[in-house]
Amino acid sequence: MKISTKGRYGLTIMIELAKNHGKGPLSLKTIASKHDLSEHYLEQLISPLRNAGLVKSIRGAYGGYILGDEPVKITAGDVILVLEGPVSPVEVLEDEEPAKRELWIRIRDAVNEVLDSTTLEDLASHDDGNDAYMFYI
């Protein structure tokens, strides 16, 4: 199972909006240039996020996008579900051995638990490890 660039870049958009929460709208151009991404591609991703209510668009000269709700109420799972669809490592087949079928279901549930318990607030406030020890050889 892999998360495509849709999911990865969608999370990038949402994390940036979460970091900017309460400061006004943020343009896709700003996000694209900060992360060296295609603005055109981000425009394609924002539409399903807006349709799902995860983001709101603000029109005008100082317009852009804001989160549709508080960062603590939107999860990584919400974003991935909108952009990637349901997450599953393999297709679970009914005629598969029960032990393997149970394993695939447990893996799927574990991945969904991580995605659904990780909020945008968690991701936006994540420490980049700048205080980590530096070792020189």
Side-chain angles (χ1 to χ4, degrees):
M1 175 192 81
K2 288 188 178 184
I3 302 294
S4 72
T5 55
K6 286 172 64 173
R8 296 168 65 94
Y9 292 177
L11 272 176
T12 299
I13 293 169
M14 298 299 285
I15 292 168
E16 286 302 317
L17 293 178
K19 287 179 180 178
N20 198 60
H21 186 69
K23 300 176 187 172
L26 193 60
S27 71
L28 291 181
K29 183 176 187 170
T30 301
I31 297 170
S33 60
K34 180 176 181 180
H35 293 277
D36 197 27
L37 301 173
S38 162
E39 182 181 356
H40 178 69
Y41 190 56
L42 297 186
E43 288 171 357
Q44 293 175 18
L45 299 178
I46 204 75
S47 181
L49 294 170
R50 188 180 62 243
N51 291 341
L54 297 178
V55 298
K56 294 179 183 175
S57 60
I58 307 295
R59 301 183 89 159
Y62 299 101
Y65 295 91
I66 60 172
L67 291 178
D69 208 339
E70 298 293 318
V72 73
K73 294 183 179 178
I74 301 173
T75 67
D78 296 332
V79 177
I80 297 300
L81 182 62
V82 167
L83 296 174
E84 300 279 352
V87 174
S88 184
V90 295
E91 183 179 346
V92 179
L93 303 173
E94 292 303 318
D95 61 344
E96 196 159 28
E97 297 170 44
K100 289 194 315 188
R101 186 173 60 239
E102 178 66 24
L103 175 63
W104 306 142
I105 291 170
R106 287 177 52 207
I107 292 170
R108 180 202 63 205
D109 292 349
V111 169
N112 283 328
E113 169 60 28
V114 170
L115 290 172
D116 292 340
S117 66
T118 305
T119 67
L120 291 182
E121 179 73 25
D122 298 332
L123 296 170
S125 63
H126 181 74
D127 183 11
D128 293 335
N130 294 335
D131 296 335
Y133 292 106
M134 181 63 77
F135 294 97
Y136 297 95
I137 298 176

